[in-house]
Amino acid sequence: QRRVHGSDPCPIHCEVSHWGPMSDCSVTCGGGTRSRTRTVITEPQYGGNECPKLEMKRWCNTEDCPVDCVVTEWAGWGKCSEPCGDGTRTRTRQIAVSNKFGGIPCTLR
């Protein structure tokens, strides 16, 4: 003969799925993140083991972003090099931001 008595239920431990695929990086340069997730299949009950982390993040594309050259507007024309005949006048512009990390280089012409 067996008799059932009022014992506590057995613990049910958390069960999670396999990791999903890694996402694309959140940015193309300058430091972003990639992540992947998994889901809870069985919630813990009756003192069972808690669920592990459901999201994993990794750094990606940590290299500096290219910076393109930026130049100022052309300055006004200077004085003519000759009082008459064939002289020349010039004007200039400056580099406001130099290119870096493979950005488009400056041309002042």
Side-chain angles (χ1 to χ4, degrees):
Q1 260 188 356
R2 291 179 101 184
R3 198 198 276 177
V4 176
H5 57 87
S7 66
D8 292 333
C10 294
I12 298 174
H13 301 300
C14 177
E15 184 181 356
V16 296
S17 67
H18 293 287
W19 288 107
M22 192 65 83
S23 69
D24 292 335
C25 192
S26 59
V27 296
T28 57
C29 60
T33 56
R34 297 172 55 144
S35 63
R36 64 182 183 171
T37 60
R38 57 187 174 182
T39 58
V40 174
I41 296 170
T42 304
E43 292 283 350
Q45 296 181 47
Y46 314 116
N49 294 341
E50 293 296 313
C51 295
K53 289 187 177 185
L54 300 176
E55 183 178 29
M56 177 189 304
K57 286 191 174 195
R58 297 282 185 256
W59 290 106
C60 56
N61 294 344
T62 56
E63 64 282 348
D64 291 319
C65 295
V67 176
D68 295 338
C69 173
V70 177
V71 295
T72 63
E73 294 296 318
W74 287 105
W77 287 102
K79 292 182 181 181
C80 189
S81 62
E82 300 294 330
C84 60
D86 292 331
T88 57
R89 291 174 26 159
T90 58
R91 63 181 182 165
T92 59
R93 60 182 175 173
Q94 305 295 318
I95 296 172
V97 177
S98 295
N99 71 308
K100 297 182 209 171
F101 315 118
I104 297 171
C106 299
T107 56
L108 298 177
R109 295 182 179 166

